[in-house]
Amino acid sequence: MSETDGVWQHCTNSAIRRAARQLGQLYDDLVEPSGLKGTQFSLMSQIALAGKDGTPLKPLAEGLVMDLSALGHTLKPLTRDGLVELIPDARDGRVKRARLTPLGAQKQEEALALWHDAQGRFDAVFGAERSAEMRSLLGLISTPDFAKAFRAAKQKSDD
């Protein structure tokens, strides 16, 4: 076994986590001048898609494959810094919605320009077509249907 071999060569989970850490660091480095981390930018971008009415927290957490407590933890510094606000749902006051503040929208736009640079670099190195294909495959892996099928699957024997 060479020095570059390791469990990530044989374990999909390890390989994805390792790649995610590396990409996270690379994107963080480029988005950093905005004052945001890559994870904060991604979360704010999802919230931005919902517009002025914001997005309910539960579907936001589900879309990010997070539980509500982890989402709350991630939102805390963004709300503290006045970038995101939590507002009651107009139809059901028990439901909280997250929306960008004007300052948050400005910060997200600033980070978006930096993210475009990061994404362009990734596409240049990895290839735009392969990049799109990988995002599609990872998107599939992130679905509830995949998780359900994974949990139900039995290992195939090599008979």
Side-chain angles (χ1 to χ4, degrees):
M1 185 186 310
S2 79
E3 220 177 275
T4 59
D5 286 343
V7 72
W8 54 83
Q9 297 294 337
H10 308 285
C11 174
T12 303
N13 181 50
S14 295
I16 289 174
R17 285 176 182 261
R18 184 171 182 250
R21 282 191 298 274
Q22 169 113 330
L23 276 178
Q25 291 167 2
L26 294 170
Y27 274 61
D28 278 351
D29 289 348
L30 290 180
V31 173
E32 191 273 329
S34 71
L36 296 175
K37 294 180 177 159
T39 53
Q40 293 173 321
F41 165 72
S42 294
L43 175 56
M44 290 176 66
S45 294
Q46 290 302 313
I47 294 170
L49 291 173
K52 66 179 179 68
D53 293 331
T55 183
L57 296 183
K58 186 174 181 187
L60 179 61
E62 289 169 353
L64 294 167
V65 193
M66 301 175 89
D67 61 43
L68 279 171
S69 64
L71 177 61
H73 179 75
T74 305
L75 283 170
K76 194 169 283 192
L78 298 174
T79 57
R80 178 198 64 219
D81 295 344
L83 303 174
V84 173
E85 59 187 348
L86 300 179
I87 57 172
D89 185 87
R91 287 176 278 159
D92 184 348
R94 297 170 298 174
V95 174
K96 295 283 187 207
R97 299 176 80 84
R99 75 175 172 196
L100 297 183
T101 64
L103 177 62
Q106 179 183 350
K107 185 64 71 175
Q108 192 271 339
E109 283 293 322
E110 178 186 339
L112 181 62
L114 299 167
W115 172 86
H116 278 295
D117 180 31
Q119 189 64 34
R121 291 179 190 209
F122 183 85
D123 288 348
V125 172
F126 194 70
E129 188 175 307
R130 288 175 63 202
S131 177
E133 181 181 357
M134 183 176 65
R135 285 191 306 275
S136 178
L137 292 170
L138 292 171
L140 170 66
I141 292 169
S142 301
T143 64
D145 287 344
F146 181 88
K148 182 179 177 182
F150 180 91
R151 288 181 179 109
K154 302 249 188 281
Q155 182 177 350
K156 293 181 180 179
S157 66
D158 295 330
D159 297 333

